[in-house]
Amino acid sequence: MFSGVAGMINRGQKLKGTVVLMQKNVLDINELTAVKSDPVGIIGGVFGAVGGAVGTVVDTATSFLGSGKGKVGKQTFLEGLLSSIPTLGDKQSAYDIHFEWNTDMGIPGAFYIENFLQHEFYLVSLTLEDVPNHGSIHFVCNSWIYNDKKYKSDRIFFANKTYLPSEIPAPLAYYVEEELKTLRGDGKGERKEWERVYDYDVYNDLGDPDSKAALARPVLGGSSTLPYPRRGRTGRKATKKDPKSESRSGFVYLPRDESFGHTKSSDFLVYILKSASQNIVPRLRSVVTGQFNQPEFNTFADVRSLYDGGIKVPTNFLSDIAPIPLFKELFRSDGESALKFVPPKVVQVDHSAWMTDEEFAREMIAGVNPHIIKKLEEFPPKSKLDSQLYGDNTSTITKEQLEPNLGGVTVEQALQNNKLYILDHHDILFPYLKKINATETKAYATRTILFLQNDGTLKPLAIELSKPQDGSNGPVSEVYLPASEGVEARIWLLAKAYVVVNDSCYHQLVSHWLNTHAVVEPFIIATNRHLSVVHPIHKLLLPHYRDTMNINSLARNVLVNAEGIIESTFLWGGYSLEMSAVSYRDWVFPDQGLPNDLLKRGVAVEDPASPHGIRLLIEDYPYASDGLEIWAAIKSWVTEYVNFYYKSDAAITQDAELQAFWKELVEVGHGDLKNATWWFKMQTRAELIEASTILIWIASALHAAVNFGQYPYGGYILNRPTKSRRFMPVKGSPEYDELAKDYEKAYLRTITPKNDTLVDLTIIEVLSRHASDEQYLGQRIEGDLWTSDAAPVEAYKKFGRKLAEIEEKLVQRNNDESLRNRYGPVKLPYTLLYPSSEEGLTFRGIPNSVSI
């Protein structure tokens, strides 16, 4: 059983090691395999002479093997189970192991492993102890190992040393390149569960035309009309009705290690989301449909009852769904079969403060979509739409409508003094309105003009609602002004609702899905195809990729697919992803970094005298002011890291792996935009630093800002409706009379219906949660063992300390009552960019990656 261990070589000795592994995915509740008492497999050492004092041994090993390969040691088996390792994680097991070693082998640089069990296991790490003239050597693995017969080549893992390609020791170089070839695959056939191949494909798997024609969806990506970032290739066969579309199936391939597998079932939010979509949502719909024939809310109190009294459900409701602890917490059944949702933070202090104009405006700079508002550069606002196709879409808002609320200044003066701002959801919506309004939903393109007051708050001045004229493509527009009394106040509340519906859709499909989830995936694919695990930039970016391909794959399956959760519950409906593709035409990678974003939107100006080199024109702008602190910390860390490994710009151009990575990212991963002139050329350290900082910002802070406020703000559907079902009532119509008589009922008949509300709340509560094993910015799952280089490890610790300092600073800001936008009428302090968090629904915390 332990062959290769018993005998000692006279001129050698045994190297003692510890292997840590984890059982098969704990979520496969019925398939847990007891591996603790069994030898898990054969482990052999690939030994390359990589030490600085053994150069002659490197030459010997190279010539001995004749191919530049390192010397391979004898195979050995796992030995006894260890039980007293204090750092052992939940569900992990540790084993003794011994390797035969002698002086001509050099320093161990890699090892291979074979699994002879029928089930896979998760290999966490190997540590070799007391290696002569070296000390301990750590191999961070974090990988699923399947039965050996599944693989065409040996599974190999490298020590945690970090090398630029030109510095990889010759004995290891062959193995590094072979591993990259394995990860690139051959681009053929349908991928299998155990494979680790990373490849690209277009978004051609959203529809299901073979089931019915209504489920057909256009291919996104591969055209200038509907460009899109690439997703991971699965290789499933084409549909019968459309050879350009990929067929759907229960199993969706994912490179195996992208599905990490958390140690507690209640932590695996991706799994929970899938179960919620497939099991709970249909049951909720049937409960509401059959509940006393009341498929609508009639009063705002009815909505609040979701959190107070709950919704009565059949007694077997909870027992019928998957036995996952979080579901029981999500629905909080009180024993009387009533589902209760957590009260959203936006109404925890005041039930009606969300209705105020100040809160409506404040959420544009401190809400869940805080990076869309722009400075108004010209008046009236103009459109970029083709007038030949859509008529003249210049705004119809007049100076006369605005100036009574400008505090005595003219529109020209307000523009000159940087006092006018706009939330513009016109051009993205207008071309699709005829299609959208032909369905059960009714929508407008919207423009909202706001005034920056002397107290630092924003005041809405006017809302323009536009839709295509009957019989032509040109717009017909109405402008609505603030009102506080009578039916005009109810009309104004509805006008704000149409704006928020548009903002909710744009947030979910563009700000959240496209601009964080989808744009990051090509980086993950290109990294794994071209940057080896020993490459410094692979190590830098790896924490920011965790679980992203996993959640994206699930999203394509149940969230953004044809008639999935998003299409069913958001205004854009069947055009949701298509409209996000239209938005991607204007995506510019360098502008995703926070400083450039603020400058581009005109809400900040360059100012060397200001912190971070820019001055905010809206001084009390919580997302921007907090974000700049986080951005600066990330950039400082990345700068120190890059400069440690790259001593000159020439080192960037000479890095073959880095150049291949960037070339493929631009030309394939984001290939529909490959001709854009704004792409970094990747010729200098400054470009690598900026590109890496932007990517880390997108995956961490930007995603946190647009994700973890979803339930705190949107869990109260009155505040963040996702649909509009009626047009604005016209004076003299029954709808207008209803609005005058019972505005709550009229409002509720206009926005998201009860059924969709329950679905929304169920899904966004999961999306807004943190798992207990979440890895936050400044943390790494490997602890300090992610590299053997001491300086980068210390620099990363310094980064973590800086983030803790920033958090203290943000807490102090929230205690400053002069900064009214930080808490607003709803008394909800802005905490979304606090770096740390506990698990659960916390409205704070910046995870490393787009993991939910």
Side-chain angles (χ1 to χ4, degrees), residues 639-850:
T639 300
E640 192 168 349
Y641 183 85
V642 168
N643 287 338
F644 178 82
Y645 288 105
Y646 296 90
K647 301 306 182 185
S648 67
D649 290 344
I652 300 289
T653 61
Q654 293 163 10
D655 184 338
E657 287 187 17
L658 180 67
Q659 294 303 320
F661 154 74
W662 193 252
K663 177 180 171 62
E664 188 174 273
L665 170 78
V666 173
E667 295 182 359
V668 183
H670 282 280
D672 296 335
L673 303 180
K674 65 182 178 182
N675 294 323
T677 57
W678 42 255
W679 283 109
F680 297 122
K681 305 304 180 188
M682 207 48 70
Q683 301 292 300
T684 66
R685 290 187 293 176
E687 286 184 312
L688 177 57
I689 289 166
E690 186 72 6
S692 300
T693 303
I694 292 169
L695 179 58
I696 293 170
W697 165 262
I698 292 171
S700 60
L702 179 59
H703 179 258
V706 300
N707 185 72
F708 295 102
Q710 288 188 83
Y711 191 84
Y713 281 115
Y716 195 58
I717 200 68
L718 302 177
N719 184 55
R720 294 285 294 177
T722 61
K723 275 185 177 177
S724 48
R725 297 179 285 156
R726 291 178 174 181
F727 289 125
M728 182 70 85
V730 179
K731 196 167 188 177
S733 68
E735 290 82 9
Y736 189 91
D737 294 339
E738 180 186 47
L739 185 65
K741 183 175 65 175
D742 188 349
Y743 84 91
E744 290 189 6
K745 184 176 181 180
Y747 187 88
L748 288 162
R749 291 296 183 275
T750 302
I751 66 164
T752 315
K754 190 178 195 177
N755 219 329
D756 292 340
T757 295
L758 298 183
V759 173
D760 278 337
L761 266 56
T762 303
I763 298 303
I764 67 172
E765 181 166 356
V766 178
L767 290 174
S768 302
R769 300 177 73 89
H770 293 292
S772 70
D773 59 353
E774 189 90 84
Q775 297 293 307
Y776 297 94
L777 202 58
Q779 300 176 344
R780 289 192 70 125
I781 196 170
E782 317 94 328
D784 294 343
L785 301 180
W786 56 277
T787 179
S788 60
D789 293 325
V793 170
E794 181 51 43
Y796 196 65
K797 289 180 179 178
K798 185 171 71 173
F799 174 48
R801 293 192 295 270
K802 180 62 177 178
L803 290 170
E805 291 174 14
I806 289 171
E807 186 165 305
E808 291 181 9
K809 190 174 186 178
L810 304 191
V811 170
Q812 292 173 0
R813 285 180 183 171
N814 280 333
N815 291 330
D816 185 347
E817 294 187 1
S818 70
L819 301 175
R820 287 179 52 171
N821 295 330
R822 296 202 68 86
Y823 49 89
V826 296
K827 300 292 187 283
L828 175 54
Y830 187 76
T831 57
L832 283 171
L833 290 177
Y834 284 14
S836 73
S837 177
E838 303 296 322
E839 70 175 295
L841 198 61
T842 64
F843 193 58
R844 61 179 290 172
I846 303 177
N848 273 323
S849 61
V850 184

Side-chain angles (χ1 to χ4, degrees), residues 204-219 239 241-242 245-246 248 556-557 560-565 567-568 574:
N204 61 353
D205 62 341
L206 301 171
D208 189 6
D210 288 350
S211 294
K212 60 179 180 179
L215 291 178
R217 293 292 180 270
V219 174
T239 60
K241 297 284 181 66
D242 178 11
S245 292
E246 184 174 280
R248 297 173 65 79
R556 297 196 310 274
N557 215 31
V560 299
N561 59 305
E563 296 186 0
I565 300 294
E567 285 196 4
S568 301

